[in-house]
Amino acid sequence: MTNFTKANAEQLRHTLQDAVVKCSERCLYQSAKWAAELSTSLPSAATTSSSFDTDNDSQMQDIDPPSSTSTFSFTNSDLEEARLEAEELSKYLLAKSYFDCREYDRCAAVFLPAGLPRAPLQPTPPNTRTHPPTKRSSKAKGIASGTDVEDSTPPNNTLPRLSQKALFLALYAKYMSGEKRKDEDSEMILGPADGGSTVNKELVAIARSLEGWFGERAGKGMDGSNQGWLEYLYGVVLAKGKTDDEAKRWLIRSVRTFSFNWGAWLELSELLSSVEELQKTVPELPKNLMTLIFHLYTSQELYQSSEPTHQQLNDLEQIFPQSQFLKTQRALLYYHSKDYDDAETIFSALLTSDPHRIDSLDVYSNILYVMNARPKLAFLAQVATATEKFRPETCCVVGNYYSLKSEHEKAVMYFRRALILDRNFLPAWTLMGHEYIEMKNTHAAIESYRRAVDVNRKDYRAWYGLGQTYEVLEMHLYALFYYQRAVSLRPYDPKMWQAVASCYDKVDRPIQSIKAYKRALIAGSYYDQSSSFGSSTQQSEPNAVLDPETLYQIALMYEKLNQQDETAKYMEKTLEQEEGPTSISPTSSTFGDHDDDDGGGRGTGVTTTTSKARMWLARWAFQTGEFKRAEALAMELCEDGVEVEEAKALIRDMRARLEGGRSPSSY
């Protein structure tokens, strides 16, 4: 799309405003808020330029611009639906008022009979008319209690004749009622009833009702007049029942019918666990602006802080220059790539422009925690508490503040409070697990991390936390399994690979440990070269300082394998990092071949690790008869003030042997 004109911008604004109204009518308030904020972030009519120019190679080129007409109406174009909505208006207003007052059962009772059908949850394919029923996967069978689709027929429609808007509101109220009861039955956080044993008991009834409704409309050839909202609700129900493939199909059908329901996109994003799945799903999605926003959001959720992702974000910001959502996505991309300074700058600007905004403040507090910015974190906690005290994000901000003060009991109290407010609030589970680790309560830490994984299996922090906990318990094979899950989600994080390598070492598998440590070196160079995505002026350094500790551990693994030459080679490389980068390629098989490089001045300087390597090399030189080098290295150790006594002892022993004319023996 080379020209996004003023008329296009106005049409998009009207479309988003229409989405706000439709989402609000169906009590999807988070989706309505998202669409309203996005609509407001468009340039106003008075300041909109004649066109938004994009680069020739921009992905925005492939999107069809909205119609240039500015005609806009909130009326229903389906005459039959409009007639039903008019007849139900009084009941609808009553039901919606009940929903707004959180009286979900009363809301549903306005339109639905007292008892909905109850039978095994059995997903109906989205294209029932064109595709014959097929046998489901074993995963889907688990939800259906073993009932095969090929031997069953869709249930009859037992629902009264209602408009789609009224039917969605009633069934959504039933769903919310089930969620509310599930939370009540769970009782206390991490209590005996808190876990997989408590489920939403309304899911089966809602699913069977929707299956009958979809089956009847498919039989009458009325699929084309579906509005997409009930497909969204059915997809949510199937996702709750762990029938992921069917849930994806119905959610895709929903967004193809009505693209501006952000809740449907969020549910679809949660079902995609890898970049490969995302790439397979994108061709099935509508070719419009929402697909681009979805692709950006899901890439961020999958930790893809790459140049194409930032370019995608740049394209979208040309259309929505004031979007807080897009600015937050950029901050999260920086956060995932460990560029904390840039992420903190963006969050600080967002807080200044809208001090009452609570969304994503928990992530901002994580950044301040990592940066050890205690005054800023204290200020953020005060602002969030003054704005809205009983929000999960606020509780996590305050919990992080107490954690930074090492008041772990108070931190746990606030994280538990966040979970009382929302049991599916992932950051609180993970952060509470971290606090229990600090308190040496490994059992509670494991339960917290497992609940975090249940909420979102893409959370690498929870998998890594489980690995840490089992490592504390010295159950290294368990720890290795969880570290491997974490590294599959964050393959370019050196910390993950170092943890895997450490576990391989502890289970006496040095060869695998060496491979993992080398992957950590590659990952470390990736972060060094990609710390400022989106900056066209900064060039990545081909030669970065490698982590001395990782090089030293590789050397020790080779020593375990009794490969002294390789050990010496990596000890030398460890020592080289004091002076700065050399032309070492971390992608080479041995890291052994490199040329001398003039570059220096950006090294680590003398560290405990490099001093240990210098001590090892001094002993190695002594054993191999290189007395001058051994003496020089030992003298350097004395000057550095590290390993001084051992270095002096080595010098005395060496001089004694030389004076006595004895050959050096194994030291």
Side-chain angles (χ1 to χ4, degrees):
M1 181 174 61
T2 56
N3 291 316
F4 195 81
T5 64
K6 177 179 177 180
N8 297 151
E10 286 306 304
Q11 180 62 22
L12 179 57
R13 191 194 313 278
H14 293 323
T15 304
L16 287 167
Q17 289 170 351
D18 180 40
V20 173
V21 172
K22 289 179 177 177
C23 290
S24 298
E25 288 176 341
R26 292 159 179 82
C27 298
L28 299 173
Y29 295 122
Q30 292 297 323
S31 296
K33 182 182 78 170
W34 182 88
E37 289 181 345
L38 203 64
S39 172
T40 307
S41 68
L42 283 164
S44 63
T47 60
T48 304
S49 61
S50 59
S51 66
F52 296 88
D53 295 327
T54 58
D55 297 334
N56 292 331
D57 58 349
S58 168
Q59 297 186 44
M60 303 295 292
Q61 296 266 11
D62 302 330
I63 298 181
D64 299 328
S67 171
S68 59
T69 177
S70 60
T71 305
F72 180 71
S73 173
F74 291 117
T75 58
N76 197 328
S77 58
D78 188 324
L79 296 180
E80 178 63 17
E81 284 292 320
R83 183 185 65 81
L84 289 172
E85 288 179 13
E87 292 176 356
E88 300 161 353
L89 180 59
S90 296
K91 285 187 174 182
Y92 164 77
L93 293 174
L94 177 64
K96 187 174 185 303
S97 67
Y98 287 150
F99 193 103
D100 292 341
C101 293
R102 298 174 60 86
E103 299 182 45
Y104 302 123
D105 288 324
R106 292 187 75 188
C107 173
V110 172
F111 291 112
L112 297 180
L116 291 178
R118 294 184 179 273
L121 180 53
Q122 176 177 293
T124 300
N127 301 316
T128 306
R129 289 191 299 126
T130 56
H131 297 282
T134 58
K135 194 169 183 177
R136 286 169 297 154
S137 65
S138 59
K139 186 173 184 179
K141 278 203 245 177
I143 302 302
S145 301
T147 306
D148 292 338
V149 175
E150 39 183 30
D151 296 329
S152 62
T153 57
N156 294 325
N157 181 21
T158 59
L159 297 170
R161 183 170 178 77
L162 299 169
S163 67
Q164 293 183 49
K165 181 169 74 173
L167 182 57
F168 176 88
L169 181 62
L171 291 176
Y172 185 51
K174 293 291 287 183
Y175 170 80
M176 292 300 295
S177 174
E179 289 293 297
K180 183 179 177 182
R181 286 197 182 90
K182 183 182 76 170
D183 289 344
E184 291 169 352
D185 293 341
S186 298
E187 298 177 353
M188 63 179 293
I189 302 297
L190 295 182
D194 185 22
S197 59
T198 53
V199 296
N200 186 338
K201 298 177 182 178
E202 300 293 341
L203 294 181
V204 171
I206 297 170
R208 295 295 288 175
S209 298
L210 286 172
E211 287 165 12
W213 189 86
F214 286 127
E216 181 182 73
R217 289 183 72 85
K220 294 179 180 179
M222 299 173 64
D223 277 350
S225 60
N226 289 356
Q227 297 175 351
W229 303 97
L230 291 167
E231 287 85 347
Y232 158 64
L233 180 58
Y234 191 43
V236 171
V237 169
L238 293 176
K240 284 286 185 180
K242 306 298 183 184
T243 317
D244 292 350
D245 291 338
E246 288 297 324
K248 287 178 192 174
R249 295 190 186 99
W250 281 95
L251 289 169
I252 290 172
R253 182 173 177 179
S254 173
V255 298
R256 289 178 66 89
T257 306
F258 183 76
S259 298
F260 288 85
N261 175 16
W262 181 239
W265 295 102
L266 288 179
E267 292 289 339
L268 182 58
S269 177
E270 289 182 6
L271 296 174
L272 302 179
S273 58
S274 67
V275 179
E276 291 73 21
E277 283 189 58
L278 174 61
Q279 298 302 331
K280 290 179 182 178
T281 303
V282 166
E284 303 179 48
L285 301 175
K287 193 177 180 182
N288 61 21
L289 191 67
M290 290 298 293
T291 296
L292 267 186
I293 297 175
F294 166 76
H295 192 281
L296 167 69
Y297 174 81
T298 307
S299 297
Q300 178 271 121
E301 288 290 299
L302 293 169
Y303 315 111
Q304 299 300 302
S305 302
S306 60
E307 189 65 37
T309 305
H310 279 271
Q311 184 58 49
Q312 209 171 41
L313 182 54
N314 292 338
D315 293 339
L316 288 168
E317 283 185 331
Q318 291 185 20
I319 298 177
F320 305 102
Q322 303 300 321
S323 172
Q324 294 181 338
F325 169 77
L326 293 179
K327 291 178 181 178
T328 301
Q329 297 308 299
R330 187 178 296 281
L332 291 173
L333 288 173
Y334 285 135
Y335 174 53
H336 295 326
S337 60
K338 298 187 177 181
D339 196 346
Y340 300 124
D341 290 333
D342 286 342
E344 193 276 333
T345 300
I346 295 174
F347 274 120
S348 179
L350 285 171
L351 185 63
T352 302
S353 63
D354 188 357
H356 302 294
R357 184 175 184 268
I358 301 295
D359 298 342
S360 299
L361 283 190
D362 56 300
V363 180
Y364 186 23
S365 71
N366 290 342
I367 294 170
L368 296 176
Y369 182 95
V370 172
M371 296 174 68
N372 201 28
R374 182 169 162 180
K376 285 187 176 181
L377 185 53
F379 173 74
L380 183 64
Q382 289 178 342
V383 170
T385 303
T387 302
E388 194 164 352
K389 187 175 182 179
F390 296 106
R391 274 277 292 269
E393 294 90 341
T394 300
C395 295
C396 284
V397 171
V398 179
N400 271 335
Y401 170 70
Y402 281 117
S403 178
L404 192 58
K405 291 179 64 180
S406 297
E407 297 183 24
H408 302 298
E409 292 81 4
K410 283 189 177 180
V412 167
M413 180 183 71
Y414 276 94
F415 294 140
R416 292 174 72 94
R417 183 178 296 177
L419 293 168
I420 291 171
L421 296 168
D422 182 1
R423 286 179 184 267
N424 291 323
F425 193 65
L426 170 67
W429 285 114
T430 305
L431 292 172
M432 190 164 70
H434 295 343
E435 295 308 304
Y436 279 128
I437 286 289
E438 294 292 334
M439 297 165 63
K440 310 300 182 186
N441 189 343
T442 53
H443 175 73
I446 288 172
E447 289 302 314
S448 299
Y449 288 134
R450 283 181 174 167
R451 289 299 300 273
V453 168
D454 288 341
V455 173
N456 183 1
R457 302 188 72 80
K458 294 180 289 187
D459 181 26
Y460 77 93
R461 298 174 187 86
W463 291 112
Y464 183 79
L466 281 168
Q468 280 187 310
T469 309
Y470 280 108
E471 197 167 16
V472 169
L473 296 172
E474 297 186 357
M475 301 172 69
H476 300 300
L477 287 175
Y478 281 88
L480 180 61
F481 170 78
Y482 291 117
Y483 282 144
Q484 287 173 332
R485 293 299 298 267
V487 84
S488 69
L489 292 167
R490 293 273 288 184
Y492 293 110
D493 192 334
K495 185 179 177 182
M496 305 294 117
W497 285 109
Q498 288 165 358
V500 170
S502 176
C503 275
Y504 275 129
D505 178 24
K506 289 171 182 175
V507 297
D508 199 24
R509 295 168 67 179
I511 295 177
Q512 287 84 354
S513 180
I514 289 170
K515 291 179 181 178
Y517 276 126
K518 288 183 177 180
R519 288 296 300 269
L521 289 176
I522 297 171
S525 64
Y526 169 85
Y527 269 120
D528 288 338
Q529 295 178 24
S530 61
S531 61
S532 295
F533 284 120
S535 174
S536 59
T537 60
Q538 180 166 336
Q539 301 296 324
S540 60
E541 294 286 344
N543 303 318
V545 176
L546 300 178
D547 181 29
E549 181 62 31
T550 304
L551 290 168
Y552 181 72
Q553 292 299 327
I554 294 175
L556 293 182
M557 292 302 103
Y558 277 119
E559 189 175 30
K560 280 190 174 183
L561 293 171
N562 202 27
Q563 298 183 22
Q564 298 299 323
D565 290 339
E566 285 295 318
T567 304
K569 189 182 297 182
Y570 276 91
M571 289 296 182
E572 292 282 3
K573 294 186 189 306
T574 304
L575 208 55
E576 288 171 0
Q577 306 314 305
E578 289 183 348
E579 301 299 327
T582 61
S583 56
I584 301 172
S585 172
T587 56
S588 64
S589 58
T590 64
F591 297 88
D593 300 326
H594 63 276
D595 301 321
D596 291 336
D597 190 271
D598 297 332
R602 294 198 306 107
T604 63
V606 177
T607 66
T608 302
T609 301
T610 58
S611 295
K612 289 178 181 178
R614 183 176 278 106
M615 188 72 240
W616 190 96
L617 287 169
R619 290 170 174 167
W620 173 250
F622 178 58
Q623 293 173 23
T624 55
E626 300 179 36
F627 302 120
K628 289 185 178 180
R629 175 165 169 74
E631 185 176 8
L633 290 170
M635 293 300 294
E636 288 176 7
L637 282 168
C638 294
E639 293 172 3
D640 295 339
V642 184
E643 306 278 354
V644 176
E645 295 303 322
E646 291 188 39
K648 288 181 178 179
L650 180 62
I651 293 173
R652 286 194 300 268
D653 191 18
M654 181 175 55
R655 289 175 178 173
R657 289 172 185 266
L658 288 174
E659 291 172 0
R662 293 174 293 174
S663 61
S665 58
S666 177
Y667 192 81

